[in-house]
Amino acid sequence: MAKEALDRFLTPQLKELRDKGLYNLIDTVEGPNGPEVQINGKTVINLSSNNYLGLANHDRLKQKAIEAVKKYGVGAGAVRTINGTLPIHNELEKRVAELKYTEAAIAFQSGFNCNMGAISAVMTKRDAIISDELNHASIIDGCRLSGARILRVKHQDMADLRRVAKEATESGLYEKIMYITDGVFSMDGDVAKLPEIVEIADEFDLITYVDDAHGSGVMGAGAGTVKHFGLSDRIDFQIGTLSKAIGVVGGYVAGSQKLIDWLKVRARPFLFSTAMTPSDAAACMEAIDMMMESTQRVHKLWENGDYLKAGLKRQGFNIGHSQTPITPCMIGDEGLTQLFSRRLMEEGVYAKSITFPTVPKGAGRVRNMPTAAHTKGILDKALAVYEKIGKELNIL
Ligand SMILES: *Cc1c(COP(=O)(O)O)cnc(C)c1O
């Protein structure tokens, strides 16, 4: 039983969420992540993961993880500064820096932790951070933690960015100003306008910070959105995750040697949270090696994304303006979006509805995440279900 004060808080809050149908029940996936997964004993087509390259259950990664467990055990022992840095942690950071074309990199336990650590290691209450209004929750929290003044700008609106950068600079109120953006925005699949951003950053001496969680392994033949635009030496912070395309868990910051030297003594999740496990580090390293050996998986991912988009569009769905394999199917009304997703699931397609407050009111959508591991046959099956439910619910 919860204590009274806690109970007074929890009971009505939970009731309200449940009454409104907003209490999110978490599905248990009964097996490895792949193009199909088992949920409640039923095999369904999986269009909900961030396992872009299909590496989460790959034999080569599993083999390396097992070898690392045998050699180093299951835990790192402590935070890395005290007892936890293993050769594979250092090696992983070298590989990340190679992948990102930067001088150095630092690994964290997750992408979320990167944003908790990296922003506040550099920005303080005497600074300002200009932040795209659709930036990821972990960026928003990381900015808040720094204590810097947060200046929100309209999504991907370069005129607004320029205006805010100019005002902030001319105000003379701030020691430093940073601009932060997602590299790829995961709800719509649009790509940050980095060529324009670096120009504006140069003009106003902005520190640049790109969180490329959904771009790494996807854009720039796998190297990410910054590399895609040929800007590896013009973005100060390149954040990435090891939990999406890389298929495991963890995060990193890639940048100059000086920046990484600083983060190793000032980023709090690095200093006060135990290092990623040896097997995670080994599996991540193998994934990066595989990406550097061949771009075949990345090509397959894009081919599958294009195939799914073309199919949905042909059927008459509104698929928004994604520039990446992320394929939203725009429905609009929140209730209808949820019903659509539920019917898809009943017919064997696992694709999640995304509604307010994650996206604006009336902009509900079912988001599809194809991966390199999907086959044309699986995608055709999913498309047939889409068409059936689209007609059934009068969306087509
Ligand atoms: C997913 C995501 C994260 C969090 O990464 P994890 O490794 O899952 O913690 C951070 N930033 C962005 C932009 C993301 O999309």
Side-chain angles (χ1 to χ4, degrees), residues 359-380:
V359 293
K361 274 215 171 87
R365 79 240 6 223
V366 174
R367 190 181 58 167
N368 301 282
M369 309 292 270
T371 73
H374 286 84
T375 60
K376 290 264 151 57
I378 292 178
L379 294 176
D380 283 337

Side-chain angles (χ1 to χ4, degrees), residues 227-374:
K227 178 65 170 61
H228 167 80
F229 288 114
L231 297 170
S232 304
D233 54 350
R234 293 184 68 188
I235 297 293
D236 297 306
F237 291 74
Q238 289 192 56
I239 313 305
T241 172
L242 300 163
S243 336
K244 288 174 179 155
I246 300 291
V248 192
V249 73
Y252 57 82
V253 183
S256 68
Q257 187 66 53
K258 243 188 239 175
L259 172 65
I260 304 308
D261 286 349
W262 180 248
L263 293 178
K264 284 194 169 171
V265 293
R266 280 294 180 275
R268 291 169 69 85
F270 184 84
L271 298 172
F272 300 108
S273 181
T274 300
M276 66 195 301
T277 71
S279 54
D280 288 336
C284 289
M285 222 150 51
E286 187 67 2
I288 294 173
D289 283 352
M290 286 171 68
M291 279 168 57
M292 300 217 275
E293 269 166 31
S294 161
T295 53
Q296 199 192 335
R297 282 169 185 281
V298 182
H299 287 302
K300 183 77 180 147
L301 164 68
W302 281 84
E303 204 182 289
N304 282 343
D306 290 344
Y307 189 78
L308 187 65
K309 280 181 190 164
L312 289 171
K313 208 167 161 179
R314 205 165 43 239
Q315 291 172 352
F317 283 105
N318 172 3
I319 57 164
H321 306 285
S322 172
Q323 299 166 276
T324 61
I326 294 171
T327 306
C329 185
M330 312 303 272
I331 308 286
D333 178 76
E334 282 72 25
L336 186 58
T337 307
Q338 277 161 7
L339 177 62
F340 194 89
S341 169
R342 197 165 68 236
R343 284 292 296 126
L344 287 175
M345 183 63 175
E346 285 164 6
E347 299 289 329
V349 176
Y350 187 41
K352 282 297 205 184
S353 62
I354 296 177
T355 54
F356 181 79
T358 309
V359 293
K361 274 215 171 87
R365 79 240 6 223
V366 174
R367 190 181 58 167
N368 301 282
M369 309 292 270
T371 73
H374 286 84

Side-chain angles (χ1 to χ4, degrees), residues 50 109-113 115 136 138-139 182 184 186 211-214 239-244 249-251:
N50 300 317
Q109 306 86 347
S110 75
F112 200 105
N113 261 356
N115 288 326
H136 189 258
S138 61
I139 297 179
D182 278 30
V184 170
S186 62
D211 179 348
D212 206 24
H214 283 274
I239 313 305
T241 172
L242 300 163
S243 336
K244 288 174 179 155
V249 73

Side-chain angles (χ1 to χ4, degrees), residues 144 230 272 392:
R144 285 186 186 142
F272 300 108
E392 178 186 303

Side-chain angles (χ1 to χ4, degrees), residues 23 40 93 135 227 320 367 396:
Y23 187 82
N40 293 329
E93 289 170 342
N135 277 344
K227 178 65 170 61
R367 190 181 58 167
L396 292 180

Side-chain angles (χ1 to χ4, degrees), residues 193-208:
K193 297 171 184 166
L194 297 183
E196 288 168 73
I197 288 165
V198 293
E199 290 302 317
I200 296 169
D202 279 357
E203 189 179 343
F204 297 103
D205 196 21
L206 309 180
I207 297 168
T208 47

Side-chain angles (χ1 to χ4, degrees), residues 8 59 72 89 155 160 164 204 235 257 275 328 335 340 345 374:
R8 273 201 305 277
D59 280 339
Y72 296 109
H89 290 123
H155 180 53
D160 201 34
V164 172
F204 297 103
I235 297 293
Q257 187 66 53
F340 194 89
M345 183 63 175
H374 286 84

